[in-house]
Amino acid sequence: AQSVTQLDSQVPVFEEAPVELRCNYSSSVSVYLFWYVQYPNQGLQLLLKYLSGSTLVESINGFEAEFNKSQTSFHLRKPSVHISDTAEYFCAVSDSGGYQKVTFGTGTKLQVIP
Amino acid sequence: DAGVTQSPTHLIKTRGQHVTLRCSPISGHKSVSWYQQVLGQGPQFIFQYYEKEERGRGNFPDRFSARQFPNYSSELNVNALLLGDSALYLCASGWGSYEQYFGPGTRLTVT
């Protein structure tokens, strides 16, 4: 069985400041890792993913996440946040040999303060 | 290209009733998954279908069922609705890259 822990339920940060959203996972098999973003009253959008290869993955809007196998972590970072980044962020894991069942964390609400 | 579409957008039902939610995947995607997202929580996996066969089932009671049609669209059915079934129901489609694309969801309210 897999599980995902997002320790921070809410993260307030000032505009243009850096942010890190933490994610730890538990799995007995090889995994794929994802970050999804959910804006109010919308579905989820894939922000970035780790499948294999380079452990540092980047999104088109400046977010990055690093897969750390020894620490079973996949923290999300952005060096300078914008008001438009205000949303809820979900870390997720799937079994690399599975059929795309995805286990989600409980989410972190990022609130960017002007 | 159209993304994943879901209908209806919102739905209000009474306890004990039955509900059917519909999902159309992105063209070319053969896999559809359903998730339940209760307010304030992360999505919980309900079902996955691939090529019209059930490939995975989450920890949900038998009141929940689903099917996938030859055109890869899917229905989620919930019988004997309970207040606790109130949630956002999300459908996601994919095609083997282990990347899912989510629809906007159906907001179900049970009174």
Side-chain angles (χ1 to χ4, degrees):
Chain A
Q2 299 163 331
S3 66
V4 177
T5 301
Q6 294 182 248
L7 292 172
D8 304 306
S9 59
Q10 294 191 49
V11 174
V13 61
F14 286 103
E15 192 173 16
E16 298 183 1
V19 69
E20 179 179 80
L21 306 184
R22 296 180 292 169
C23 171
N24 288 90
Y25 70 93
S26 173
S27 177
S28 58
V29 298
S30 296
V31 297
Y32 295 144
L33 293 159
F34 308 87
W35 277 98
Y36 285 86
V37 59
Q38 187 175 35
Y39 298 100
N41 300 313
Q42 295 187 25
L44 285 86
Q45 300 175 27
L46 180 66
L47 190 59
L48 45 74
K49 62 183 177 182
Y50 170 79
L51 303 181
S52 65
S54 173
T55 58
L56 183 65
V57 290
E58 299 176 351
S59 73
I60 58 174
N61 57 355
F63 283 94
E64 65 178 28
E66 186 162 19
F67 169 53
N68 188 319
K69 188 175 182 179
S70 63
Q71 297 186 6
T72 60
S73 68
F74 191 55
H75 301 331
L76 181 69
R77 294 186 290 263
K78 188 170 186 180
S80 176
V81 295
H82 189 267
I83 290 291
S84 60
D85 294 324
T86 295
E88 189 155 21
Y89 293 80
F90 292 93
C91 181
V93 61
S94 73
D95 177 353
S96 65
Y99 290 97
Q100 302 175 359
K101 171 188 173 179
V102 181
T103 300
F104 287 84
T106 51
T108 298
K109 290 183 179 177
L110 174 62
Q111 182 184 5
V112 180
I113 305 165
Chain B
D1 287 341
V4 177
T5 59
Q6 292 186 243
S7 63
T9 305
H10 296 87
L11 201 53
I12 299 175
K13 290 286 189 177
T14 304
R15 277 180 299 175
Q17 286 188 317
H18 162 271
V19 69
T20 298
L21 310 181
R22 295 178 175 83
C23 171
S24 292
I26 292 172
S27 177
H29 288 189
K30 299 181 179 180
S31 170
V32 169
S33 299
W34 287 95
Y35 293 83
Q36 180 196 64
Q37 186 179 17
V38 174
L39 195 63
Q41 297 183 19
Q44 298 291 315
F45 173 75
I46 309 175
F47 286 109
Q48 186 192 64
Y49 277 78
Y50 180 79
E51 286 278 18
K52 294 159 284 184
E53 292 188 5
E54 182 182 304
R55 293 301 183 95
R57 171 186 282 259
N59 188 24
F60 280 80
D62 292 343
R63 299 184 296 106
F64 288 77
S65 64
R67 56 179 176 169
Q68 187 177 32
F69 298 99
N71 66 353
Y72 302 111
S73 66
S74 178
E75 283 184 353
L76 175 69
N77 294 283
V78 187
N79 293 323
L81 285 167
L82 304 174
L83 294 179
D85 295 331
S86 295
L88 180 68
Y89 288 84
L90 295 164
C91 172
S93 75
W95 53 279
S97 64
Y98 298 94
E99 175 178 324
Q100 296 187 73
Y101 296 85
F102 283 81
T106 293
R107 174 75 62 186
L108 172 65
T109 301
V110 182
T111 62

